Amino acid sequence: MRTELREGGLAGLADPQADLFFTLVAVMLPAILLLLPAARTAQQPERQMAAVADVVLTAGATVRGESAAVFLAQQDGVAFGPAGRDRVGLDAMLDDANLRAALESIRAAGTPLLLLIAPDGQETAFLFEGLAAAHGPRSIAQVRLDRGCAGVHGPLAELCP
């Protein structure tokens, strides 16, 4: 089959089909180009929010003037311990002996507990609160991290957009 150009369209394509194809391309290409920057900037606050959580896990935090044990509720589980090295998956939280022992030692020491909740960590936080109520301290301070770091103040605000 030989393809040749003729006036009014491509050979082999009926004129209405070619017009429809070019119209779709003309509409979709600018729409995609408009959405690409938004997709790129949506990832940036996620990385910055993760950086804030990592700094708090590593450096520690105080609650009512006392050094607090920091836990981070994420979509896939909870991070805790020195620099957040201990991680427990969402499906293993209720049965994990290390997490339970950490909560019991926090209760015995009378240390305050700070729970950082990532934007996608609501389910983990829900499970953690039940576990902490049974084995942890009597009260839990919570900080819900939003995608734009709107609630972050002080030196950590430098890490946010």
Side-chain angles (χ1 to χ4, degrees), residues 61-68 112:
T62 59
V63 174
R64 291 183 291 275
E66 295 182 54
S67 181

Side-chain angles (χ1 to χ4, degrees), residues 99-110:
L99 180 59
R100 185 173 292 153
L103 289 171
E104 289 171 352
S105 69
I106 290 168
R107 176 182 268 180

